[in-house]
Amino acid sequence: MNRAERLATMGAIGYTGWAVAELALLVLALTLLSALWVLRDRCGRDYNPWLLSALVLTVALAVVPLLTTTATQRHLDDARATLTEIRTVAEQTKRETNTGLARRKGLEDAQTLVSTRSNHVRDELEAHAWQDAVYYGALGGGTLVAVLPTVGIGRRLNADYWRAR
């Protein structure tokens, strides 16, 4: 149970990592907004679709994986609580069996409860299809957040350079 608790809890390092990632995404969103503002205000250009796409992806990367991780952590907490309940029932049944107080019906009830609870834990820990998609989407979205502004600004600079010549 101690090992399960260590693996299932996020801990201070996990929370710090999420805070740093969210702050980095906030800085990136503010930088993209600033670039959009400069292009619009000082350069007389319409909103750059590449930078707008990167901004939308940045906001999505700040929200969706965090919600997914929160849901996963809630499932892990529920599973850990159920496992603790199973352990309590098993220890109580063992004490009753050792002292000779357990009746056959009591043992059957305890086994049924443990089986039901263990199936609940198994179902709770089963990864949902949308959670897998979120993690792969975060990887692809992170790549696009790096590529889109580079392509957008590069295209704008290239177009302005050839127009100015």
Side-chain angles (χ1 to χ4, degrees):
M1 286 303 295
N2 291 336
R3 183 171 190 276
E5 187 168 343
R6 271 194 330 270
L7 291 174
T9 12
M10 193 176 301
I13 293 173
Y15 286 116
T16 303
W18 273 106
V20 168
E22 292 293 320
L23 286 174
L25 288 169
L26 177 65
V27 168
L28 179 61
L30 291 175
T31 304
L32 288 169
L33 279 173
S34 174
L36 283 166
W37 179 265
V38 166
L39 285 176
R40 174 81 175 152
D41 191 47
R42 296 192 181 163
C43 298
R45 301 284 178 213
D46 287 336
Y47 291 113
N48 188 323
W50 299 89
L51 294 178
L52 279 172
S53 300
L55 180 62
V56 168
L57 278 172
T58 300
V59 171
L61 282 174
V63 174
V64 176
L66 185 62
L67 292 176
T68 304
T69 301
T70 304
T72 303
Q73 191 62 45
R74 189 176 58 249
H75 290 304
L76 288 172
D77 290 342
D78 291 345
R80 193 175 64 234
T82 306
L83 287 173
T84 302
E85 182 182 343
I86 288 172
R87 188 177 96 193
T88 304
V89 168
E91 287 174 354
Q92 180 182 3
T93 305
K94 183 179 178 183
R95 274 194 308 269
E96 290 174 357
T97 303
N98 288 342
T99 60
L101 296 175
R103 291 171 281 142
R104 183 165 179 83
K105 178 68 175 158
L107 287 175
E108 289 173 2
D109 290 343
Q111 288 173 343
T112 303
L113 178 68
V114 167
S115 296
T116 304
R117 295 295 184 191
S118 63
N119 286 334
H120 173 72
V121 168
R122 187 176 298 113
D123 293 341
E124 189 76 26
L125 292 179
E126 184 178 10
H128 301 283
W130 64 271
Q131 289 174 323
D132 291 338
V134 166
Y135 293 124
Y136 290 122
L139 178 63
T143 303
L144 285 175
V145 163
V147 170
L148 286 175
T150 305
V151 169
I153 290 175
R155 289 191 64 198
R156 175 55 43 210
L157 290 175
N158 190 31
D160 287 346
Y161 174 76
W162 290 110
R163 189 177 327 166
R165 282 195 96 182

